[in-house]
């Protein structure tokens, strides 16, 4: 069934896959007479056809403590983005390079200005554009992996979740346009790495415990 499939892409769990490979290589060192059929040569995975997967938006919620008012932030943001005030109704981006921004109880549409970002596969991702042009230089969050002022909300929760978070533990949020499967595969084909928290995949597997015994 898989003889004519040239590539498989790891959509989620790349750290776990890399760890499994390291364990397998170490077990091969410990067992120089291995045949390739031992259980340590394999690890558990599930495969989906790309036309049966959906990537949802992976939104950002932020606790901004930089001291600038919303108007002052708008002035800085307008250097790289066109800003349109939407009002109280949540704005969900309908095309790439546009973003919803909620701050001070108001929603804004941000559109990345032409020429403000490189066109390579990674830098042209919306998650890269918003980080490199706004979140890092204006809000001061340079490492989204470790900075406690930023969190991520899967699109399955909807935009009302973003509003709720801005009224509890955060004070602003960004609604993203979803990364596409073509973008993901193009980046993998180029040997590049996706930025953190770029994709929210559906369907997700049901929770459970599976054991693969290494013998």
């Amino acid at each position: 069934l898989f003889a004519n499939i040239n590539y498989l892409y790891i959509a989620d769990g790349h750290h776990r896959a890399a760890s499994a490979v390291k364990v397998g290589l170490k077990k091969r060192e410990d067992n120089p007479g291995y045949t390739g059929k031992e259980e340590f040569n394999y690890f558990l995975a599930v495969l989906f056809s790309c036309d049966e997967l959906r990537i949802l938006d992976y939104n950002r919620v932020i606790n901004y403590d930089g001291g600038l008012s919303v108007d002052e932030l708008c002035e800085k943001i307008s250097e790289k983005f066109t800003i349109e005030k939407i009002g109280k109704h949540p704005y969900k981006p309908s095309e790439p390079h546009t973003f919803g921004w909620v701050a001070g109880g108001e929603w804004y549409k941000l559109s990345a200005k032409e020429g403000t970002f490189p066109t390579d596969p990674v830098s042209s991702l919306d998650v890269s554009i918003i980080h490199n042009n706004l979140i890092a230089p204006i809000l001061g969050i340079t490492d989204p992996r470790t900075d406690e002022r930023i969190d991520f909300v899967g699109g399955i929760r909807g935009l009302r979740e973003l509003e709720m978070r801005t009224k509890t533990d955060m004070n602003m949020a960004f609604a993203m346009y979803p990364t596409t499967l073509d973008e993901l595969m193009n980046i993998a084909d180029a040997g590049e790495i996706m930025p953190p928290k770029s994709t929210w995949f559906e369907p997700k597997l049901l929770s459970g415990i599976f054991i693969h015994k290494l013998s």
Side-chain angles (χ1 to χ4, degrees):
L1 289 175
F2 299 105
N4 295 320
I5 297 177
N6 295 321
Y7 303 102
L8 298 175
Y9 297 85
I10 300 178
D12 192 16
H14 55 286
H15 291 110
R16 291 182 289 275
S19 298
V21 169
K22 288 182 178 180
V23 170
L25 294 176
K26 178 64 168 62
K27 296 284 281 186
R28 287 180 178 183
E29 290 181 5
D30 297 339
N31 298 273
Y34 73 91
T35 66
K37 295 182 179 181
E38 298 83 359
E39 286 298 315
F40 58 73
N41 292 289
Y42 304 91
F43 61 90
L44 291 171
V46 61
L47 302 182
F48 289 95
S49 172
C50 63
D51 59 5
E52 295 177 355
L53 274 177
R54 217 166 34 119
I55 300 180
L56 302 182
D57 39 305
Y58 214 162
N59 303 307
R60 277 79 174 125
V61 289
I62 291 173
N63 186 16
Y64 172 68
D65 56 3
L68 296 178
S69 67
V70 172
D71 288 341
E72 290 170 327
L73 286 171
C74 284
E75 185 175 350
K76 287 184 172 293
I77 291 171
S78 65
E79 296 177 7
K80 298 290 183 68
F81 298 86
T82 300
I83 303 177
E84 177 186 346
K85 187 172 183 178
I86 302 298
K88 301 294 184 182
H89 188 71
Y91 173 74
K92 186 176 181 64
S94 59
E95 59 183 344
H97 309 336
T98 61
F99 311 84
W101 176 44
V102 58
E106 300 284 345
W107 280 88
Y108 302 81
K109 175 185 177 181
L110 308 181
S111 302
K113 293 182 178 180
E114 187 175 350
T116 58
F117 56 90
T119 57
D120 64 89
V122 176
S123 299
S124 60
L125 286 175
D126 281 2
V127 291
S128 298
I129 293 171
I130 198 70
H131 180 80
N132 295 335
N133 288 340
L134 200 163
I135 293 176
I138 298 177
L139 303 183
I141 298 173
T142 56
D143 189 348
R145 293 180 177 87
T146 60
D147 200 313
E148 294 182 352
R149 294 172 296 172
I150 187 170
D151 197 8
F152 306 89
V153 178
I156 196 73
R157 297 181 179 272
L159 299 186
R160 293 299 181 187
E161 176 75 8
L162 302 186
E163 291 186 318
M164 185 275 290
R165 292 291 299 275
T166 63
K167 297 174 182 177
T168 52
D169 59 325
M170 300 291 182
N171 54 23
M172 67 174 60
F174 295 94
M176 309 294 296
Y177 185 78
T179 301
T180 67
L181 280 164
D182 284 340
E183 287 175 325
L184 181 147
M185 290 188 284
N186 288 339
I187 288 173
D189 290 344
E192 300 289 346
I193 298 174
M194 296 286 289
K197 307 299 184 181
S198 302
T199 53
W200 180 279
F201 280 92
E202 289 289 337
K204 290 193 178 296
L205 299 178
L206 297 176
S207 297
I209 297 178
F210 295 86
I211 297 174
H212 181 208
K213 186 175 180 180
L214 302 181
S215 58

